[in-house]
Amino acid sequence: MSNPIAYPILRTPDPVLALHMARQLVAVGDRQYGEVSVGVELCSVPEVLRIREALPDAWFRKWDVRAPNPFAHGVHASELSSDADFLALHLPLWASMEDRPLGSVEEDFAALVGPNIGEILWSSLIWPDVPARDIRHEADNALVSLLFNCRTQDLDERSDDHTVLVHVRRRNRDGSEERHASWLAEQIGLSVIGPPQE
């Protein structure tokens, strides 16, 4: 199994438009087994408490492994302390919900992200065969992601806009990856707008 490679196809300051276009892209594929995961970085105690209230099924984690970390294995929203001093010691936290049915969380999540860095990831899609373009169907690496207030998959480049990425199978760098991403983008009236992200 190879790893996917992602191409940006839209950047916009409008999160509603970004979500709409990402959903259109998801619809290009076979969604029979599709799932969606969401996550958001929270850098203040009020934001942690707001998201805990709004997403009662979320898990809260901290990725810092340099010190003892009560969030290393995740803390469910129902078990998350509301003690502001305790939470402040562990910021930033990442709140996520994974492997949900398509259409179950995307709209509510997009409305909650606000100024935080966040992501919606649609997975387990199947990109179709396109014999005329010498593109074969793709299941293992067929994904769509929407990055909020960020431009990179590493979620490390804050921005004032939102980015939609289409993911395809990484091949031999013979141009087939970009050709596949371009065809997918064309199906919703867009095009590849930047270099790939790995």
Side-chain angles (χ1 to χ4, degrees), residues 99-165:
D99 305 327
R100 303 297 168 130
L102 294 183
S104 65
V105 297
E106 297 96 311
E107 195 166 332
D108 289 343
F109 179 79
L112 290 170
V113 171
N116 301 300
I117 289 177
E119 177 182 35
I120 300 177
L121 177 67
W122 291 267
S123 59
S124 300
L125 306 171
I126 301 174
W127 296 138
D129 273 318
V130 189
R133 295 275 189 99
D134 193 27
I135 296 171
R136 290 180 288 169
H137 84 280
E138 174 58 42
D140 293 334
N141 301 284
L143 307 129
V144 173
S145 57
L146 168 51
L147 310 178
F148 293 94
N149 306 304
C150 186
R151 292 185 170 190
T152 65
Q153 288 189 101
D154 293 332
L155 304 174
D156 60 356
E157 185 182 322
R158 179 171 287 283
S159 68
D160 293 329
D161 53 20
H162 317 291
T163 301
V164 176
L165 298 161

Side-chain angles (χ1 to χ4, degrees), residues 90-104:
H90 298 287
L91 294 174
L93 290 175
W94 181 258
S96 63
M97 296 190 313
E98 299 180 355
D99 305 327
R100 303 297 168 130
L102 294 183
S104 65

